[in-house]
């Protein structure tokens, strides 16, 4: 299309928004001006001419609107870019602040982890030392558990040693000429020493919770603390079947537990 035709079409577009009749009235002098330039025959008032100019006017108007919208979008983009550029220093500062906070939290967490690790290592070492110390104490206790009881028996051993030394060696030799009176004196001294030793032994055993079971002839037989080795028939009305005739071996208990049952002889009826 020639510049004359384009000018004729665009000139009515410079007017305010018009109706179709107003655009037609505005195009009539333009059609007369460009008629010689057209390759086909145009006459004023023809419907074809009016439709053609209307289409051209719409196309030109759409092009102008597109260019205006593109310009507006470009202006908005430039404004947004300028705003982002203006806000960029603040964003960088906020990012640096967050990074410093994260580094501070990381350093604090590492320090706490190191403190916890140190405390755990110390506690672990203390626990290992405690286990080793308890093992040594247990071994020592098992090895020397009877130390106190053994010390209490030393007095018994001393008494027995003294009893043995009470009789001279020449008296103990075979064929020694010793009077009966002198021999009875040695025997009495030996018996007294043994009795004293027994008393000391029972006392020391009682200090450790070990006691002799007190059983006398004529007591009823108790299967919980006694063991019948044999039975003998009664020989007199004073002897009752099921009672103890004699204690063959004494019994002992430790606290409330039987350490050894007493071995006894029990009466039974003749029938």
């Amino acid at each position: 299309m020639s510049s004359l035709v384009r000018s004729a079409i665009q000139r009515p577009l410079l007017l305010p928004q018009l109706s179709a009749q107003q655009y037609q009235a505005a195009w009539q002098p333009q059609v007369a001006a460009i008629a010689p330039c057209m390759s086909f025959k145009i006459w004023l008032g023809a419907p074809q001419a009016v439709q053609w100019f209307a289409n051209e006017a719409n196309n030109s108007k759409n092009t102008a609107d597109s260019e205006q919208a593109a310009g507006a979008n470009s202006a908005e983009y430039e404004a947004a870019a300028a705003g982002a550029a203006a806000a960029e220093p603040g964003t960088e500062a906020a990012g640096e602040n967050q990074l410093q906070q994260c580094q501070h939290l990381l350093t604090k967490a590492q320090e706490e982890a190191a403190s916890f690790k140190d405390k755990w290592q110390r506690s672990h070492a203390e626990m290992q030392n405690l286990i080793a110390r308890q093992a040594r104490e247990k071994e020592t206790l098992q090895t020397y558990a009877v130390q106190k009881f053994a010390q209490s028996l030393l007095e018994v051993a001393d008494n027995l040693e003294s009893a043995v030394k009470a009789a001279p060696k020449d008296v103990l030799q075979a064929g020694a000429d010793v009077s009966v009176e002198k021999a009875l004196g040695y025997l009495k001294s030996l018996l007294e020493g043994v009795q004293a030793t027994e008393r000391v032994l029972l006392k020391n055993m009682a200090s450790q919770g070990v006691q002799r079971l007190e059983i006398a002839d004529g007591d009823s037989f108790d299967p919980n603390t006694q063991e019948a080795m044999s039975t003998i028939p009664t020989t007199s009305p004073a002897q009752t079947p099921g009672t103890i005739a004699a204690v063959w071996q004494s019994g002992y208990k430790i606290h409330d537990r039987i350490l050894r049952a007493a071995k006894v002889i029990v009466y039974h009826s003749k029938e």
Side-chain angles (χ1 to χ4, degrees):
M1 181 186 302
S2 65
S3 60
L4 182 59
V5 176
R6 186 178 300 277
S7 176
I9 294 172
Q10 293 178 349
R11 189 176 294 113
L13 297 176
L14 299 177
L15 299 175
Q17 187 71 22
L18 302 176
S19 63
Q21 291 79 4
Q22 291 173 338
Y23 270 116
Q24 184 176 359
W27 286 335
Q28 286 180 357
Q30 308 302 326
V31 173
I34 65 174
C37 301
M38 303 301 294
S39 60
F40 52 88
K41 184 177 181 181
I42 302 175
W43 59 90
L44 292 175
Q48 293 85 352
V50 173
Q51 183 65 35
W52 185 82
F53 279 107
N55 294 336
E56 289 295 327
N58 289 332
N59 293 336
S60 299
K61 186 174 183 299
N62 292 335
T63 301
D65 292 341
S66 299
E67 291 177 354
Q68 183 178 2
N73 293 336
S74 177
E76 292 178 358
Y77 175 77
E78 292 177 357
E88 193 174 52
T91 304
E92 292 180 356
E96 291 179 356
N97 188 19
Q98 292 179 355
L99 179 60
Q100 291 177 357
Q101 292 179 356
C102 292
Q103 290 177 346
H104 175 70
L105 293 176
L106 177 60
T107 302
K108 185 177 180 181
Q110 290 175 343
E111 292 176 353
E112 291 180 353
S115 177
F116 290 149
K117 181 179 180 180
D118 180 67
K119 292 179 180 178
W120 175 83
Q121 289 177 341
R122 292 177 182 273
S123 300
H124 181 69
E126 291 178 358
M127 183 58 66
Q128 294 298 320
N129 293 336
L130 178 61
I131 293 174
R133 184 167 62 254
Q134 289 180 344
R136 291 193 299 268
E137 292 177 353
K138 182 179 179 181
E139 182 180 0
T140 302
L141 182 62
Q142 291 176 346
T143 303
Y144 302 101
V146 297
Q147 179 177 356
K148 187 176 181 180
F149 184 66
Q151 289 176 345
S152 67
L153 295 179
L154 296 179
E155 186 178 359
V156 176
D158 293 339
N159 290 339
L160 292 175
E161 184 179 6
S162 299
V164 171
K165 292 180 179 179
K169 294 182 179 180
D170 55 352
V171 176
L172 300 176
Q173 293 178 355
D177 186 10
V178 180
S179 64
V180 176
E181 183 179 358
K182 190 175 183 179
L184 290 176
Y186 290 144
L187 181 60
K188 183 179 179 181
S189 299
L190 180 60
L191 179 60
E192 291 176 352
V194 171
Q195 290 175 342
T197 303
E198 182 185 26
R199 288 192 297 268
V200 172
L201 178 60
L202 292 177
K203 182 186 70 174
N204 293 336
M205 291 173 62
S207 66
Q208 301 299 322
V210 179
Q211 294 179 345
R212 177 185 289 175
L213 297 176
E214 298 296 335
I215 303 173
D217 296 346
D219 293 343
S220 298
F221 175 74
D222 183 5
N224 295 320
T225 60
Q226 302 164 8
E227 180 182 357
M229 301 301 296
S230 64
T231 61
I232 58 174
T234 58
T235 58
S236 67
Q239 299 173 349
T240 305
T243 59
I244 297 174
V247 177
W248 185 68
Q249 189 179 61
S250 298
Y252 293 87
K253 67 177 182 178
I254 178 168
H255 300 294
D256 59 347
R257 181 180 298 179
I258 297 300
L259 191 61
R260 187 182 70 184
K263 297 179 180 180
V264 297
I265 300 173
V266 182
Y267 285 116
H268 69 87
S269 61
K270 292 182 178 180
E271 297 179 358

